[in-house]
Amino acid sequence: MIRSLLIANRGEIAVRIIRACKELGIRTIAVYSEADRKALHVKMADQAICIGPPPSKDSYLNISNIVSAALHSRADAIHPGVGFLSEKAEFARKVQEAGLIWVGPDPEAIDMLGDKIRSKENATKYGVPCTPGIEGAITNIDQTVEKVKKIGLPVIIKASAGGGGKGMRIVRKIEELADNIKIAANEAEKSFGDGTVFIEKYLENAAHVELQMMGDKHGNVIYLGERDCSVQKNHQKLVEEAPSPLVTPEIRKKMGEDAVRLFKGIGYSGAGTIEFLFKDGQYYFMEVNSRIQVEHPVTEMITGVDLIKEMIRVANGDELSVKQEDIRVDSYAMEIRINATAPGTVKDYLPPSGFKVRVDSFLYNGYTVPPTYDSMVAKVIIGAPTRAEGINKMLAVLDEFHLEGVPINLELQKKIINTQIFRKGGFGTQVLDSIMKEIG
Ligand code: ADP
């Protein structure tokens, strides 16, 4: 029974999880680095424990400090949030070994899906169509060059342990392949401590479509519709919307049933996202994120399901509170990520509000955004009956977003969603180039 829960994270996601716990009557324990003494999640939690100095590796990535904080504060469970340790099977295992409840899939399931190469092997095993490429990790560069000649260019080199768009290189000329493999492996080693890389066909301007999944410990798995995250800069998502203008109810069902088969096969419980590339009516498995994602509110807005509460319930051993037939995709939602372009102290913060308007943030007046962590400071989410209405609504809502003291990327976001290209919809991940041309 979860009566108290430690949140192994910071920022808006920590605040989001604390709110869900309060609704469920669960005592909350925040952890923080020395740079986050004044952070909102620290103020909101029932208890807060410092876990180390500012660098993430010494605090938010410090497994033993976090587990000790949980034992010391008599927490029953740990929610890892997003990023940091959220997809580390080793962390999940340590949490369980300490006798605590891990709010997420079992470490065995994370192992099977967390690493991109293994997850593709598993997807293939359960009959989910995969992005074509060369099977397995690159071990011999000369042999790889020969294989790429056969499958044809362009290709993309990806880090098996990758995340956040890092360690990826697109190759369009065969003579540039060998060098790029070495560079990518080096980058992967530096960023993820694992230099394993592999190769996929680069699917030119395919859309990024991902399905929200949720499973419990009783073998139930459902899909909660897709999100389209094709507006990207350097392979990182800028705008997320649901449903995807490209996905028909028939495709959604087929994609969902494929995903459910994979998740059931793995024995997956908790929240997860299966990411696909989508081109010419076909979807191709890319990877699974075995955790909650930043863009989860888009799905919450459409389906009315509180995904964080659901995660806590299933970690507690309860059955999913919703069934597949309860999930309806008959409206529209969009999320805009607001990033700080420099650190600063918040002055005159007045976020928008209103009908089907949601702002997930950790800002408050007088708070100084530290330079140490992720640049995202707020997410604005809207819901509307149709995409066209949703775009107009988001523009009106963003006009209301007022913040002084911390420079943000809001104007660019507004311009992006106000272009003809965005309004038309149905584009791929290279759309930002065309959008920027239209903006001029
Ligand atoms: P990460 O885990 O770093 O986010 P992903 O595997 O999710 O990496 O890919 C991120 C983005 O990179 C995708 O949304 C897409 O834009 C691009 N990408 C990845 N693989 C391919 C591919 N085979 N073809 C085209 N684009 C790709």
Side-chain angles (χ1 to χ4, degrees):
M1 188 56 190
I2 302 177
R3 275 183 238 95
S4 56
L5 183 144
L6 180 140
I7 300 101
N9 218 298
R10 64 179 302 282
E12 60 83 23
I13 195 70
V15 170
R16 167 74 185 92
I17 297 164
I18 291 171
R19 285 184 176 137
C21 288
K22 289 195 172 190
E23 287 179 39
L24 292 168
I26 293 171
R27 186 170 70 90
T28 50
I29 301 115
V31 292
Y32 62 97
S33 77
E34 284 161 13
D36 274 341
R37 279 185 194 285
K38 297 200 168 144
L40 187 59
H41 74 286
V42 173
K43 291 181 191 292
M44 282 176 68
D46 296 306
Q47 188 180 348
I49 298 177
C50 183
I51 47 163
S56 305
K57 67 173 178 32
D58 301 320
S59 48
Y60 297 106
L61 293 174
N62 188 326
I63 293 180
S64 62
N65 282 9
I66 294 171
V67 172
S68 301
L71 294 173
H72 174 80
S73 60
R74 299 185 179 281
D76 298 315
I78 294 189
H79 194 307
V82 307
F84 295 126
L85 295 167
S86 59
E87 284 187 279
K88 283 262 181 297
E90 181 199 347
F91 182 45
R93 219 165 258 129
K94 290 265 164 65
V95 168
Q96 292 184 343
E97 281 165 12
L100 301 160
I101 297 172
W102 166 251
V103 183
D106 279 337
E108 296 73 35
I110 301 179
D111 273 336
M112 281 194 268
L113 294 175
D115 155 309
K116 288 190 214 269
I117 294 177
R118 276 197 79 186
S119 74
K120 279 185 86 170
E121 286 164 6
N122 279 303
T124 307
K125 180 174 161 193
Y126 289 100
V128 185
C130 284
T131 309
I134 297 172
E135 221 173 281
I138 297 175
T139 46
N140 177 315
I141 294 190
D142 292 339
Q143 282 173 9
T144 304
V145 172
E146 290 312 308
K147 284 183 190 161
V148 167
K149 282 184 188 159
K150 280 194 199 120
I151 65 167
L153 291 156
V155 292
I156 182 167
I157 308 165
K158 294 167 75 168
S160 193
K166 272 190 236 141
M168 277 188 230
R169 302 193 78 89
I170 300 161
V171 179
R172 295 178 186 280
K173 292 189 187 135
I174 198 77
E175 58 274 19
E176 290 172 4
L177 182 62
D179 281 348
N180 273 292
I181 292 174
K182 287 178 208 149
I183 298 169
N186 255 328
E187 267 174 22
E189 179 65 46
K190 260 193 225 135
S191 307
F192 314 111
D194 176 356
T196 311
V197 290
F198 66 105
I199 282 187
E200 278 176 359
K201 277 285 283 189
Y202 183 67
L203 297 186
E204 210 76 67
N205 212 16
H208 175 114
V209 172
E210 57 184 38
L211 271 181
Q212 177 66 53
M213 307 298 294
M214 184 65 83
D216 64 22
K217 293 178 181 172
H218 304 270
N220 302 304
V221 177
I222 61 169
Y223 60 96
L224 295 100
E226 77 282 0
R227 297 181 288 257
D228 189 316
C229 315
S230 298
V231 181
Q232 300 181 353
K233 191 177 179 185
N234 304 328
H235 306 301
Q236 280 204 287
K237 300 159 188 169
L238 279 182
V239 178
E240 293 108 344
E241 51 179 339
S244 168
L246 292 165
V247 173
T248 61
E250 294 72 36
I251 294 171
R252 180 174 304 123
K253 185 159 185 281
K254 200 159 168 283
M255 198 158 64
E257 286 169 359
D258 277 356
V260 166
R261 202 166 53 247
L262 170 64
F263 277 56
K264 280 193 177 168
I266 297 290
Y268 194 101
S269 71
T273 296
I274 178 164
E275 297 190 332
F276 297 98
L277 287 169
F278 190 89
K279 195 169 175 167
D280 303 327
Q282 277 298 320
Y283 53 90
Y284 304 92
F285 174 88
M286 225 179 353
E287 65 161 339
V288 169
N289 287 140
S290 53
R291 53 170 168 80
I292 193 73
Q293 279 188 308
V294 170
E295 58 270 29
H296 76 274
V298 170
T299 301
E300 295 184 324
M301 186 65 90
I302 289 233
T303 60
V305 177
D306 183 322
L307 294 170
I308 304 285
K309 283 211 274 194
E310 207 62 25
M311 283 178 92
I312 297 171
R313 280 199 205 99
V314 302
N316 201 34
D318 299 347
E319 283 201 44
L320 285 178
S321 73
V322 278
K323 297 203 159 45
Q324 189 62 55
E325 55 267 31
D326 302 330
I327 305 301
R328 305 268 282 271
V329 179
D330 50 13
S331 65
Y332 176 80
M334 188 201 301
E335 173 181 280
I336 294 282
R337 300 186 187 205
I338 298 183
N339 297 324
T341 50
T345 299
V346 179
K347 276 191 297 201
D348 284 338
Y349 174 50
L350 187 59
S353 59
F355 180 65
K356 293 210 174 182
V357 177
R358 168 172 171 184
V359 180
D360 278 19
S361 178
F362 55 102
L363 298 178
Y364 63 85
N365 285 324
Y367 172 67
T368 301
V369 176
T372 327
Y373 308 106
D374 194 82
S375 61
M376 191 179 77
V377 293
K379 311 187 295 205
V380 178
I381 304 101
I382 58 92
T386 64
R387 188 170 187 271
E389 288 164 282
I391 294 170
N392 289 340
K393 179 163 185 151
M394 184 58 100
L395 285 168
V397 165
L398 292 182
D399 268 344
E400 243 188 70
F401 195 102
H402 191 84
L403 174 65
E404 304 278 331
V406 182
I408 50 176
N409 65 343
L410 191 65
E411 289 310 312
L412 178 64
Q413 301 279 50
K414 278 199 252 182
K415 283 184 189 155
I416 289 173
I417 64 169
N418 204 14
T419 54
Q420 301 271 333
I421 296 170
F422 185 83
R423 282 184 182 273
K424 190 158 168 269
F427 37 70
T429 56
Q430 278 145 276
V431 71
L432 195 64
D433 294 343
S434 328
I435 286 180
M436 292 317 283
K437 272 191 207 129
E438 190 185 322
I439 292 171

